[in-house]
Amino acid sequence: MIQDPTQSTPYGTLPPASPMANRKPVSLPRLLEMRARGEKITMLTAYDATFAAVADAAGVECILIGDSLGMVCQGLPSTVGVSLETMRYHTESVARGIRRAQGTAWVIADLPFGTYQESKEQALRSAVVLSQAGAHMVKIEGGGWTAETVRFLVERGIPVCAHLGLTPQTVHALGGYRVQGKSDASADTLRRQAQELQDAGASMLVLEMVPHVLAASVTQSLPHCATIGIGAGKDTAGQVLVLHDMLGVNLGRMPKFVRNFMADGGSIRGAMEAYVAAVKNGSFPDNALHAW
Ligand code: KIV
């Protein structure tokens, strides 16, 4: 029986169905088609059933259960302490929320630190846990050695989103939350690693805190991979923000590339709709804030 998404439940009333409720589920081919025709892809993090359902209803195509939940939900100093069990719990909650609201979003979950670095087999075991919890795709940070892991997972039927630039799990090695790819040498390394990741089968690539010119050139050189920027300018295939940042409820220092969409939207659902509209029409982000 199909559940009425607006019905009352023991937990309250679920968010109203999206005006686009008849949308087909977001799939990888559809995301790559959007990338090919230049329609911007929208992604937000969510960590629980309700926010995930609201983001889906607001038209966000991809929901990321980011390991940023370590800071946002658990109060940790970084993402390094997030466990696979925690990721599994939040992934299950998000997937359940989207399902109950008859949502359509593509669900991506971060493989946390220490759950894929040891071997490709370890990565597969961890990815299976998150896939069985409801993730359609897993995300892993880093370049170089990760290409082999990406190939191993993709060949076994698990779509992978890569992540280059500022990779928060290696914040200590990077010396802090710093812009990456500023020198010619580091930009060349990032370009080469991005190419290797696409060749290994990564169909998405988060580019975090890199100059917008570099993000644009990586995007142009990867026709089979949807680049998703965060602090990387507007010329990527899509954008992602941490939910709490775009709602203006960040407990720490707000990164300068973040816009508080609550000011535009007036409500949580309105903020998410304003974000989707701004990404789609190219008014967010502003390249001037990503010249670094
Ligand atoms: O963990 C996270 O939320 C992320 C995004 C910032 C891309 O990786």
Side-chain angles (χ1 to χ4, degrees):
M1 192 184 81
I2 295 178
Q3 202 176 22
D4 171 3
T6 59
Q7 74 182 337
S8 286
T9 74
Y11 315 103
T13 304
L14 291 169
S18 161
M20 296 186 282
N22 290 329
R23 293 181 299 168
K24 290 205 191 97
V26 178
S27 64
L28 201 47
R30 180 161 149 210
L31 291 167
L32 291 173
E33 266 166 38
M34 289 172 69
R35 188 255 177 276
R37 44 163 216 278
E39 180 184 345
K40 297 286 182 188
I41 297 166
T42 57
M43 186 188 297
L44 276 181
T45 66
Y47 315 105
D48 67 28
T50 306
F51 277 95
V54 176
D56 180 283
V60 175
E61 284 109 7
C62 304
I63 307 287
L64 170 67
I65 304 102
D67 58 0
S68 51
L69 64 80
M71 284 113 114
V72 168
C73 305
Q74 296 181 284
L76 295 172
S78 75
T79 59
V80 174
V82 176
S83 71
L84 185 60
E85 174 50 24
T86 301
M87 290 304 301
R88 189 200 60 73
Y89 170 86
H90 286 275
T91 301
E92 232 173 45
S93 305
V94 163
R96 201 181 291 128
I98 293 173
R99 216 172 23 247
R100 280 183 50 196
Q102 298 183 326
T104 58
W106 180 251
V107 176
I108 306 165
D110 267 331
L111 286 187
F113 184 65
T115 69
Y116 60 96
Q117 286 88 347
E118 203 176 293
S119 65
K120 324 191 277 298
E121 290 76 13
Q122 185 205 27
L124 178 62
R125 281 194 297 277
S126 305
V128 166
V129 170
L130 298 186
S131 302
Q132 289 178 341
H136 302 126
M137 172 179 245
V138 296
K139 177 160 82 60
I140 65 178
E141 294 187 5
W145 66 273
T146 54
E148 204 189 327
T149 302
V150 169
R151 189 181 302 283
F152 192 74
L153 297 182
V154 171
E155 280 175 350
R156 282 154 185 78
I158 301 178
V160 179
C161 175
H163 185 153
L164 292 176
L166 171 60
T167 44
Q169 292 176 7
T170 48
V171 61
H172 302 308
L174 295 175
Y177 295 97
R178 297 164 188 271
V179 180
Q180 303 295 309
K182 277 166 81 171
S183 69
D184 288 348
S186 62
D188 285 349
T189 302
L190 191 145
R191 275 195 208 91
R192 178 174 42 74
Q193 292 180 340
Q195 187 65 52
E196 288 167 359
L197 288 162
Q198 179 187 261
D199 294 348
S203 37
M204 272 196 184
L205 168 64
V206 167
L207 292 170
E208 180 162 356
M209 282 188 72
V210 299
H212 71 84
V213 177
L214 174 58
S217 81
V218 170
T219 300
Q220 276 166 19
S221 63
L222 300 183
H224 307 301
C225 185
T227 55
I228 306 292
I230 173 163
K234 67 199 293 182
D235 300 316
T236 46
Q239 296 292 325
V240 59
L241 282 179
V242 170
L243 175 65
H244 294 58
D245 288 350
M246 59 83 78
L247 295 178
V249 291
N250 176 318
L251 292 178
R253 200 161 51 91
M254 194 67 84
K256 79 169 185 183
F257 57 81
V258 172
R259 186 188 297 173
N260 177 349
F261 283 92
M262 275 298 266
D264 303 342
S267 67
I268 289 171
R269 165 90 177 244
M272 291 173 176
E273 285 174 347
Y275 167 70
V276 170
V279 171
K280 299 270 182 205
N281 70 26
S283 59
F284 177 81
D286 179 355
N287 275 353
L289 295 178
H290 302 84
W292 305 119

